[in-house]
């Protein structure tokens, strides 16, 4: 019953946004800094955001803040000003604005207090999250990407890497960020004497990862300023060539954004290349996130496998 209620209210909220004609943009920002009282920050943000019809997801912890929000166009300057004045450490906060008008990115406001803004579980007294890898801009990225002494490491999830990534980049595959971080030192050991360039969607995972690698004695660790989003934004603005190829997975209802025409994704069923988007298996007990080509889609009807297809027919 509770689930049903949630489902219905989500549907109503979605509809509300859909018929609303307000132009909206997605803003994202994060910052590692010590917050004495996360609840106080949460209360302040809640009032401002609710008053200005801001939607999205905000995580606050003792170690900082991480947010992706959808803001009505008219309130963007006001919200940026308010966020930068929330706390002295947010004064020079860089807020990333997405280029397109995005109405359907979020349909509700979720603000939560979390133990960490990105979960990783690095627990060591000597670990210093403030000592991070050097940030590099888009022009430098384009220079390093063709240099064999630089290794580009994707710090996102496997399913994100599968549909698009930086040219020549590698990934240490794992189901969770925590596991990826754990396996990373061994994975990168053979590149210890090279320059490591880390990247993720918005840059936040690389703050943590780069300080972890520096802590482990890696000498030359870089990270892309603002992550892939920052890189693309800057490249477009300065008319630089873009070496992020394929599609970018985004964490809102759009799921992905096409950056270049390159196709990396393969159909789960026949393994042929396909441009189709991720879908969830229609069997709600499975709900697997996967890609299916048009041919297989007509055979399996958006189920991930014959098994799920039969299951649904038999039990539902
Ligand atoms: Zn197929
Ligand atoms: Zn399935």
């Amino acid at each position: 019953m509770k689930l049903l209620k949630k489902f219905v209210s989500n549907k109503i909220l979605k509809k509300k946004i859909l018929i609303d004609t307000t132009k909206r943009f997605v803003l994202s920002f994060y910052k590692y800094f010590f917050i004495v009282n996360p609840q106080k920050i949460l209360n302040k943000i809640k009032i401002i955001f609710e008053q200005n019809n801001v939607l999205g997801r905000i995580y606050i912890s003792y170690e900082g803040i991480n947010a992706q929000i959808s803001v009505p166009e008219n309130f963007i300057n006001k919200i940026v000003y308010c966020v930068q004045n929330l706390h002295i450490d947010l004064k020079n906060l860089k807020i990333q604005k997405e280029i397109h008008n995005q109405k359907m990115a979020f349909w509700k406001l979720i603000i939560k207090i979390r133990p960490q803004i990105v979960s990783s579980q690095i627990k060591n007294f000597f670990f210093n999250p403030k000592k991070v890898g050097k940030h590099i801009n888009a022009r430098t990225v384009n220079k390093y990407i063709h240099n064999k002494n630089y290794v580009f490491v994707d710090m996102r999830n496997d399913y994100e890497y599968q549909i698009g990534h930086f040219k020549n980049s590698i990934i240490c595959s794992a189901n969770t960020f925590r596991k990826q971080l754990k396996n990373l030192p061994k994975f990168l050991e053979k590149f210890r004497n090279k320059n490591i360039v880390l990247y993720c969607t918005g840059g936040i995972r690389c703050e943590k990862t780069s300080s972890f690698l520096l802590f482990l004695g890696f000498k030359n660790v870089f990270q892309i300023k603002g992550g892939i989003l920052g890189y693309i934004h800057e490249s477009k603005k300065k008319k630089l060539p873009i070496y992020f190829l394929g599609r970018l997975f985004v964490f809102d209802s759009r799921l992905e954004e096409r950056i270049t025409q390159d196709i990396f994704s393969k159909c789960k069923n026949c393994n042929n290349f396909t441009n189709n988007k991720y879908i969830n298996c229609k069997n709600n007990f499975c709900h697997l996130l996967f890609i299916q080509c048009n041919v297989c889609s007509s055979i399996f009807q958006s189920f991930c496998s014959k098994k799920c297809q039969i299951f649904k027919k038999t039990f539902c």
Side-chain angles (χ1 to χ4, degrees):
M1 195 60 200
K2 219 174 164 188
L3 255 174
L4 185 70
K5 249 190 198 159
K6 202 175 162 192
F7 176 73
V8 172
S9 70
N10 272 349
K11 238 183 161 173
I12 295 169
L13 287 170
K14 255 190 211 179
K15 213 169 176 185
K16 214 175 115 193
I17 294 294
L18 209 62
I19 51 174
D20 187 1
T21 52
T22 318
K23 241 183 159 185
R24 287 180 166 273
F25 284 85
V26 174
L27 305 184
S28 41
F29 57 87
Y30 69 84
K31 172 117 195 209
Y32 279 107
F33 66 106
F34 182 60
I35 299 178
V36 185
N37 188 346
Q39 187 64 46
K40 206 170 135 194
I41 297 270
L42 183 146
N43 296 343
K44 274 194 201 171
I45 288 183
K46 197 162 185 278
I47 294 169
I48 302 165
F49 283 10
E50 278 178 354
Q51 274 172 356
N52 294 287
N53 200 8
V54 174
L55 307 169
R57 206 181 297 126
I58 302 104
Y59 296 139
I60 305 164
S61 92
Y62 289 104
E63 64 172 13
I65 185 165
N66 178 11
Q68 280 178 301
I69 51 176
S70 155
V71 185
E73 194 182 22
N74 295 342
F75 297 147
I76 289 179
N77 290 340
K78 187 176 166 192
I79 291 299
V80 168
Y81 177 83
C82 288
V83 170
Q84 287 174 334
N85 285 286
L86 268 174
H87 190 283
I88 184 115
D89 280 336
L90 293 173
K91 262 261 152 318
N92 300 312
L93 176 75
K94 198 173 168 294
I95 298 184
Q96 196 82 41
K97 182 182 156 204
E98 286 203 28
I99 311 139
H100 314 291
N101 164 27
Q102 290 298 345
K103 209 169 70 173
M104 279 309 288
F106 299 99
W107 53 85
K108 56 182 168 184
L109 180 66
I110 299 168
I111 314 176
K112 278 186 183 161
I113 293 183
R114 287 256 170 117
Q116 293 177 310
I117 49 174
V118 174
S119 75
S120 68
Q121 269 201 335
I122 304 170
K123 290 197 185 94
N124 188 300
F125 183 74
F126 297 103
F127 174 66
N128 176 8
K130 286 219 160 135
K131 198 179 161 210
V132 297
K134 195 178 165 211
H135 293 92
I136 55 173
N137 62 19
R139 208 179 288 277
T140 312
V141 168
N142 287 357
K143 203 170 84 192
Y144 289 171
I145 212 152
H146 294 110
N147 184 330
K148 286 223 153 41
N149 290 316
Y150 289 81
V151 181
F152 278 66
V153 184
D154 197 312
M155 287 310 299
R156 299 172 301 157
N157 297 303
D158 218 32
Y159 58 82
E160 298 172 78
Y161 180 83
Q162 292 310 330
I163 59 168
H165 46 253
F166 270 100
K167 192 180 171 185
N168 303 327
S169 64
I170 53 172
I171 186 167
C172 173
S173 293
N175 294 333
T176 61
F177 178 51
R178 195 178 294 172
K179 266 197 199 140
Q180 193 180 35
L181 212 51
K182 200 173 146 227
N183 300 339
L184 198 65
K186 203 173 159 204
F187 177 76
L188 289 180
E189 193 50 47
K190 58 175 182 266
F191 304 116
R192 202 175 251 277
N193 296 322
K194 297 216 174 196
N195 302 288
I196 310 276
V197 180
L198 302 168
Y199 72 87
C200 60
T201 310
I204 186 162
R205 286 183 170 197
C206 298
E207 292 285 317
K208 201 152 232 175
T209 312
S210 64
S211 61
F212 181 52
L213 290 179
L214 288 167
F215 163 70
L216 292 175
F218 282 82
K219 290 277 176 304
N220 305 309
V221 184
F222 301 86
Q223 52 177 328
I224 299 180
K225 206 168 111 198
I228 302 163
L229 289 172
Y231 169 82
I232 290 167
H233 191 81
E234 195 189 337
S235 301
K236 281 187 177 164
K237 217 166 110 190
K238 295 181 180 164
K239 298 202 165 52
L240 304 173
I242 292 179
Y243 293 107
F244 181 91
L245 311 176
R247 292 176 285 162
L248 174 64
F249 200 94
V250 287
F251 289 91
D252 55 46
S253 55
R254 291 169 298 153
L255 278 188
E256 50 189 62
E257 202 178 320
R258 171 158 294 290
I259 308 298
T260 68
Q261 294 308 316
D262 301 83
I263 302 173
F264 297 104
S265 43
K266 286 181 174 177
C267 170
K268 180 194 177 287
N269 306 103
C270 69
N271 216 25
N272 283 333
F273 284 105
T274 169
N275 228 339
N276 285 358
K277 283 189 169 192
Y278 273 106
I279 51 169
N280 284 106
C281 175
K282 252 171 44 186
N283 173 6
N284 284 334
F285 293 96
C286 169
H287 211 63
L288 180 79
L289 187 69
F290 73 111
I291 292 175
Q292 196 164 55
C293 73
N294 292 339
V295 179
C296 294
S297 179
S298 63
I299 301 168
F300 294 99
Q301 292 160 328
S302 305
F303 288 96
C304 77
S305 59
K306 263 259 138 21
K307 216 171 111 192
C308 279
Q309 209 173 1
I310 293 165
F311 178 88
K312 181 88 179 176
K313 262 192 199 146
T314 322
F315 297 103
C316 303

PDB file of all heavy atoms in Angstrom, residues 67-88:
ATOM      1  N   ALA A  67      25.164  18.360  -4.640  1.00  0.00           N
ATOM      2  CA  ALA A  67      23.793  18.645  -5.076  1.00  0.00           C
ATOM      3  C   ALA A  67      23.633  18.676  -6.585  1.00  0.00           C
ATOM      4  O   ALA A  67      24.527  19.099  -7.314  1.00  0.00           O
ATOM      5  CB  ALA A  67      23.358  19.989  -4.504  1.00  0.00           C
ATOM      6  N   GLN A  68      22.483  18.199  -7.019  1.00  0.00           N
ATOM      7  CA  GLN A  68      22.068  18.365  -8.411  1.00  0.00           C
ATOM      8  C   GLN A  68      20.639  18.866  -8.349  1.00  0.00           C
ATOM      9  O   GLN A  68      19.764  18.175  -7.829  1.00  0.00           O
ATOM     10  CB  GLN A  68      22.116  17.033  -9.142  1.00  0.00           C
ATOM     11  CG  GLN A  68      23.514  16.656  -9.568  1.00  0.00           C
ATOM     12  CD  GLN A  68      23.532  15.315 -10.237  1.00  0.00           C
ATOM     13  OE1 GLN A  68      23.139  14.324  -9.643  1.00  0.00           O
ATOM     14  NE2 GLN A  68      23.970  15.287 -11.475  1.00  0.00           N
ATOM     15  N   ILE A  69      20.424  20.075  -8.840  1.00  0.00           N
ATOM     16  CA  ILE A  69      19.101  20.662  -8.677  1.00  0.00           C
ATOM     17  C   ILE A  69      18.558  21.217  -9.983  1.00  0.00           C
ATOM     18  O   ILE A  69      19.313  21.576 -10.881  1.00  0.00           O
ATOM     19  CB  ILE A  69      19.120  21.791  -7.608  1.00  0.00           C
ATOM     20  CG1 ILE A  69      20.247  22.796  -7.890  1.00  0.00           C
ATOM     21  CG2 ILE A  69      19.258  21.200  -6.222  1.00  0.00           C
ATOM     22  CD1 ILE A  69      20.268  23.979  -6.954  1.00  0.00           C
ATOM     23  N   SER A  70      17.236  21.263 -10.060  1.00  0.00           N
ATOM     24  CA  SER A  70      16.573  21.828 -11.226  1.00  0.00           C
ATOM     25  C   SER A  70      15.924  23.143 -10.782  1.00  0.00           C
ATOM     26  O   SER A  70      15.100  23.161  -9.876  1.00  0.00           O
ATOM     27  CB  SER A  70      15.543  20.819 -11.721  1.00  0.00           C
ATOM     28  OG  SER A  70      14.523  21.469 -12.428  1.00  0.00           O
ATOM     29  N   VAL A  71      16.340  24.239 -11.428  1.00  0.00           N
ATOM     30  CA  VAL A  71      15.943  25.571 -10.960  1.00  0.00           C
ATOM     31  C   VAL A  71      15.185  26.328 -12.057  1.00  0.00           C
ATOM     32  O   VAL A  71      15.629  26.359 -13.201  1.00  0.00           O
ATOM     33  CB  VAL A  71      17.200  26.390 -10.573  1.00  0.00           C
ATOM     34  CG1 VAL A  71      16.824  27.734  -9.974  1.00  0.00           C
ATOM     35  CG2 VAL A  71      18.079  25.608  -9.614  1.00  0.00           C
ATOM     36  N   PRO A  72      14.042  26.953 -11.723  1.00  0.00           N
ATOM     37  CA  PRO A  72      13.355  27.782 -12.716  1.00  0.00           C
ATOM     38  C   PRO A  72      14.297  28.894 -13.201  1.00  0.00           C
ATOM     39  O   PRO A  72      15.019  29.481 -12.388  1.00  0.00           O
ATOM     40  CB  PRO A  72      12.185  28.379 -11.928  1.00  0.00           C
ATOM     41  CG  PRO A  72      11.977  27.448 -10.790  1.00  0.00           C
ATOM     42  CD  PRO A  72      13.327  26.901 -10.448  1.00  0.00           C
ATOM     43  N   GLU A  73      14.283  29.138 -14.499  1.00  0.00           N
ATOM     44  CA  GLU A  73      15.243  30.063 -15.108  1.00  0.00           C
ATOM     45  C   GLU A  73      15.340  31.408 -14.370  1.00  0.00           C
ATOM     46  O   GLU A  73      16.427  31.908 -14.115  1.00  0.00           O
ATOM     47  CB  GLU A  73      14.854  30.295 -16.571  1.00  0.00           C
ATOM     48  CG  GLU A  73      15.959  30.946 -17.375  1.00  0.00           C
ATOM     49  CD  GLU A  73      15.541  31.208 -18.810  1.00  0.00           C
ATOM     50  OE1 GLU A  73      14.326  31.278 -19.075  1.00  0.00           O
ATOM     51  OE2 GLU A  73      16.436  31.353 -19.654  1.00  0.00           O
ATOM     52  N   ASN A  74      14.195  31.949 -13.985  1.00  0.00           N
ATOM     53  CA  ASN A  74      14.184  33.275 -13.350  1.00  0.00           C
ATOM     54  C   ASN A  74      14.880  33.315 -11.992  1.00  0.00           C
ATOM     55  O   ASN A  74      15.245  34.375 -11.514  1.00  0.00           O
ATOM     56  CB  ASN A  74      12.738  33.747 -13.133  1.00  0.00           C
ATOM     57  CG  ASN A  74      12.039  33.948 -14.445  1.00  0.00           C
ATOM     58  OD1 ASN A  74      12.694  34.070 -15.481  1.00  0.00           O
ATOM     59  ND2 ASN A  74      10.719  33.951 -14.420  1.00  0.00           N
ATOM     60  N   PHE A  75      15.010  32.144 -11.364  1.00  0.00           N
ATOM     61  CA  PHE A  75      15.572  32.125 -10.008  1.00  0.00           C
ATOM     62  C   PHE A  75      17.037  31.704  -9.973  1.00  0.00           C
ATOM     63  O   PHE A  75      17.621  31.600  -8.902  1.00  0.00           O
ATOM     64  CB  PHE A  75      14.760  31.180  -9.110  1.00  0.00           C
ATOM     65  CG  PHE A  75      13.332  31.596  -8.926  1.00  0.00           C
ATOM     66  CD1 PHE A  75      12.329  30.644  -8.770  1.00  0.00           C
ATOM     67  CD2 PHE A  75      12.978  32.943  -8.904  1.00  0.00           C
ATOM     68  CE1 PHE A  75      11.005  31.021  -8.599  1.00  0.00           C
ATOM     69  CE2 PHE A  75      11.655  33.328  -8.734  1.00  0.00           C
ATOM     70  CZ  PHE A  75      10.664  32.368  -8.584  1.00  0.00           C
ATOM     71  N   ILE A  76      17.630  31.440 -11.136  1.00  0.00           N
ATOM     72  CA  ILE A  76      18.992  30.894 -11.145  1.00  0.00           C
ATOM     73  C   ILE A  76      19.983  31.789 -10.399  1.00  0.00           C
ATOM     74  O   ILE A  76      20.678  31.345  -9.493  1.00  0.00           O
ATOM     75  CB  ILE A  76      19.465  30.615 -12.590  1.00  0.00           C
ATOM     76  CG1 ILE A  76      18.696  29.404 -13.123  1.00  0.00           C
ATOM     77  CG2 ILE A  76      20.969  30.324 -12.636  1.00  0.00           C
ATOM     78  CD1 ILE A  76      19.021  29.018 -14.534  1.00  0.00           C
ATOM     79  N   ASN A  77      20.003  33.073 -10.740  1.00  0.00           N
ATOM     80  CA  ASN A  77      20.960  33.981 -10.094  1.00  0.00           C
ATOM     81  C   ASN A  77      20.739  34.048  -8.588  1.00  0.00           C
ATOM     82  O   ASN A  77      21.684  34.056  -7.806  1.00  0.00           O
ATOM     83  CB  ASN A  77      20.855  35.385 -10.695  1.00  0.00           C
ATOM     84  CG  ASN A  77      21.378  35.395 -12.120  1.00  0.00           C
ATOM     85  OD1 ASN A  77      22.129  34.498 -12.506  1.00  0.00           O
ATOM     86  ND2 ASN A  77      20.962  36.368 -12.903  1.00  0.00           N
ATOM     87  N   LYS A  78      19.481  34.068  -8.213  1.00  0.00           N
ATOM     88  CA  LYS A  78      19.134  34.153  -6.797  1.00  0.00           C
ATOM     89  C   LYS A  78      19.615  32.903  -6.045  1.00  0.00           C
ATOM     90  O   LYS A  78      20.209  32.995  -4.970  1.00  0.00           O
ATOM     91  CB  LYS A  78      17.610  34.280  -6.693  1.00  0.00           C
ATOM     92  CG  LYS A  78      17.102  34.543  -5.301  1.00  0.00           C
ATOM     93  CD  LYS A  78      15.592  34.735  -5.354  1.00  0.00           C
ATOM     94  CE  LYS A  78      14.983  34.654  -3.975  1.00  0.00           C
ATOM     95  NZ  LYS A  78      13.518  34.560  -4.051  1.00  0.00           N
ATOM     96  N   ILE A  79      19.377  31.738  -6.653  1.00  0.00           N
ATOM     97  CA  ILE A  79      19.767  30.483  -6.002  1.00  0.00           C
ATOM     98  C   ILE A  79      21.292  30.385  -5.890  1.00  0.00           C
ATOM     99  O   ILE A  79      21.831  30.004  -4.854  1.00  0.00           O
ATOM    100  CB  ILE A  79      19.185  29.269  -6.772  1.00  0.00           C
ATOM    101  CG1 ILE A  79      17.659  29.231  -6.609  1.00  0.00           C
ATOM    102  CG2 ILE A  79      19.801  27.955  -6.312  1.00  0.00           C
ATOM    103  CD1 ILE A  79      17.151  29.094  -5.183  1.00  0.00           C
ATOM    104  N   VAL A  80      21.993  30.761  -6.969  1.00  0.00           N
ATOM    105  CA  VAL A  80      23.458  30.732  -6.935  1.00  0.00           C
ATOM    106  C   VAL A  80      23.958  31.629  -5.804  1.00  0.00           C
ATOM    107  O   VAL A  80      24.808  31.235  -4.999  1.00  0.00           O
ATOM    108  CB  VAL A  80      24.052  31.187  -8.296  1.00  0.00           C
ATOM    109  CG1 VAL A  80      25.550  31.438  -8.189  1.00  0.00           C
ATOM    110  CG2 VAL A  80      23.779  30.129  -9.367  1.00  0.00           C
ATOM    111  N   TYR A  81      23.391  32.817  -5.711  1.00  0.00           N
ATOM    112  CA  TYR A  81      23.782  33.760  -4.663  1.00  0.00           C
ATOM    113  C   TYR A  81      23.522  33.157  -3.273  1.00  0.00           C
ATOM    114  O   TYR A  81      24.379  33.199  -2.393  1.00  0.00           O
ATOM    115  CB  TYR A  81      23.004  35.077  -4.832  1.00  0.00           C
ATOM    116  CG  TYR A  81      23.294  36.079  -3.745  1.00  0.00           C
ATOM    117  CD1 TYR A  81      24.419  36.912  -3.820  1.00  0.00           C
ATOM    118  CD2 TYR A  81      22.460  36.183  -2.628  1.00  0.00           C
ATOM    119  CE1 TYR A  81      24.702  37.813  -2.806  1.00  0.00           C
ATOM    120  CE2 TYR A  81      22.735  37.082  -1.610  1.00  0.00           C
ATOM    121  CZ  TYR A  81      23.853  37.900  -1.698  1.00  0.00           C
ATOM    122  OH  TYR A  81      24.138  38.779  -0.691  1.00  0.00           O
ATOM    123  N   CYS A  82      22.341  32.585  -3.096  1.00  0.00           N
ATOM    124  CA  CYS A  82      21.974  32.016  -1.792  1.00  0.00           C
ATOM    125  C   CYS A  82      22.910  30.878  -1.396  1.00  0.00           C
ATOM    126  O   CYS A  82      23.355  30.802  -0.252  1.00  0.00           O
ATOM    127  CB  CYS A  82      20.543  31.482  -1.816  1.00  0.00           C
ATOM    128  SG  CYS A  82      19.329  32.791  -1.849  1.00  0.00           S
ATOM    129  N   VAL A  83      23.205  29.990  -2.355  1.00  0.00           N
ATOM    130  CA  VAL A  83      24.068  28.845  -2.052  1.00  0.00           C
ATOM    131  C   VAL A  83      25.467  29.337  -1.659  1.00  0.00           C
ATOM    132  O   VAL A  83      26.048  28.879  -0.673  1.00  0.00           O
ATOM    133  CB  VAL A  83      24.149  27.870  -3.255  1.00  0.00           C
ATOM    134  CG1 VAL A  83      25.234  26.827  -3.037  1.00  0.00           C
ATOM    135  CG2 VAL A  83      22.805  27.179  -3.469  1.00  0.00           C
ATOM    136  N   GLN A  84      25.977  30.310  -2.425  1.00  0.00           N
ATOM    137  CA  GLN A  84      27.329  30.797  -2.139  1.00  0.00           C
ATOM    138  C   GLN A  84      27.409  31.554  -0.814  1.00  0.00           C
ATOM    139  O   GLN A  84      28.492  31.773  -0.283  1.00  0.00           O
ATOM    140  CB  GLN A  84      27.824  31.674  -3.293  1.00  0.00           C
ATOM    141  CG  GLN A  84      28.170  30.831  -4.522  1.00  0.00           C
ATOM    142  CD  GLN A  84      28.524  31.662  -5.725  1.00  0.00           C
ATOM    143  OE1 GLN A  84      28.089  32.806  -5.836  1.00  0.00           O
ATOM    144  NE2 GLN A  84      29.281  31.092  -6.648  1.00  0.00           N
ATOM    145  N   ASN A  85      26.246  31.944  -0.296  1.00  0.00           N
ATOM    146  CA  ASN A  85      26.248  32.658   0.975  1.00  0.00           C
ATOM    147  C   ASN A  85      25.746  31.824   2.150  1.00  0.00           C
ATOM    148  O   ASN A  85      25.519  32.337   3.237  1.00  0.00           O
ATOM    149  CB  ASN A  85      25.428  33.943   0.852  1.00  0.00           C
ATOM    150  CG  ASN A  85      26.213  34.987   0.077  1.00  0.00           C
ATOM    151  OD1 ASN A  85      27.157  35.579   0.590  1.00  0.00           O
ATOM    152  ND2 ASN A  85      25.864  35.163  -1.182  1.00  0.00           N
ATOM    153  N   LEU A  86      25.600  30.535   1.904  1.00  0.00           N
ATOM    154  CA  LEU A  86      25.154  29.630   2.967  1.00  0.00           C
ATOM    155  C   LEU A  86      26.215  29.459   4.044  1.00  0.00           C
ATOM    156  O   LEU A  86      25.921  29.259   5.206  1.00  0.00           O
ATOM    157  CB  LEU A  86      24.887  28.240   2.375  1.00  0.00           C
ATOM    158  CG  LEU A  86      23.489  27.907   1.904  1.00  0.00           C
ATOM    159  CD1 LEU A  86      23.515  26.547   1.242  1.00  0.00           C
ATOM    160  CD2 LEU A  86      22.492  27.925   3.047  1.00  0.00           C
ATOM    161  N   HIS A  87      27.470  29.474   3.610  1.00  0.00           N
ATOM    162  CA  HIS A  87      28.574  29.156   4.507  1.00  0.00           C
ATOM    163  C   HIS A  87      29.818  29.839   3.955  1.00  0.00           C
ATOM    164  O   HIS A  87      29.975  29.941   2.735  1.00  0.00           O
ATOM    165  CB  HIS A  87      28.762  27.629   4.526  1.00  0.00           C
ATOM    166  CG  HIS A  87      29.698  27.148   5.581  1.00  0.00           C
ATOM    167  ND1 HIS A  87      31.061  27.251   5.465  1.00  0.00           N
ATOM    168  CD2 HIS A  87      29.458  26.542   6.775  1.00  0.00           C
ATOM    169  CE1 HIS A  87      31.623  26.736   6.541  1.00  0.00           C
ATOM    170  NE2 HIS A  87      30.677  26.298   7.355  1.00  0.00           N
ATOM    171  N   ILE A  88      30.709  30.247   4.849  1.00  0.00           N
ATOM    172  CA  ILE A  88      31.904  30.971   4.414  1.00  0.00           C
ATOM    173  C   ILE A  88      32.744  30.153   3.418  1.00  0.00           C
ATOM    174  O   ILE A  88      33.314  30.688   2.476  1.00  0.00           O
ATOM    175  CB  ILE A  88      32.745  31.421   5.637  1.00  0.00           C
ATOM    176  CG1 ILE A  88      33.950  32.272   5.206  1.00  0.00           C
ATOM    177  CG2 ILE A  88      33.238  30.270   6.489  1.00  0.00           C
ATOM    178  CD1 ILE A  88      33.853  33.684   5.698  1.00  0.00           C
TER     179      ILE A  88
END
